[in-house]
Amino acid sequence: MLLAIALGETVYWAHRCRRLILLSSLTAMIVTLGLFAARHVHLAQHFTTLL
């Protein structure tokens, strides 16, 4: 029951501020990709120092 209400609220707000959600999700994706890349660079540096 609570889940259904939460889902309804989410859908309602998603329609209300779709642009905001799109923007925030895009930002989150970019940040995640950035962190992922940074970690890989960091790992690569570790491998080169080990070699």
Side-chain angles (χ1 to χ4, degrees):
M1 185 65 195
L2 250 171
L3 193 72
I5 293 166
L7 200 70
E9 288 268 311
T10 306
V11 170
Y12 172 77
W13 283 110
H15 281 291
R16 283 285 305 257
C17 42
R18 187 177 292 164
R19 189 170 291 157
L20 191 80
I21 288 166
L22 200 76
L23 234 154
S24 61
S25 62
L26 262 170
T27 307
M29 256 179 60
I30 290 163
V31 168
T32 307
L33 277 169
L35 284 169
F36 191 70
R39 186 166 293 163
H40 269 264
V41 168
H42 191 68
L43 281 171
Q45 284 175 345
H46 268 287
F47 278 120
T48 49
T49 47
L50 280 170
L51 292 168

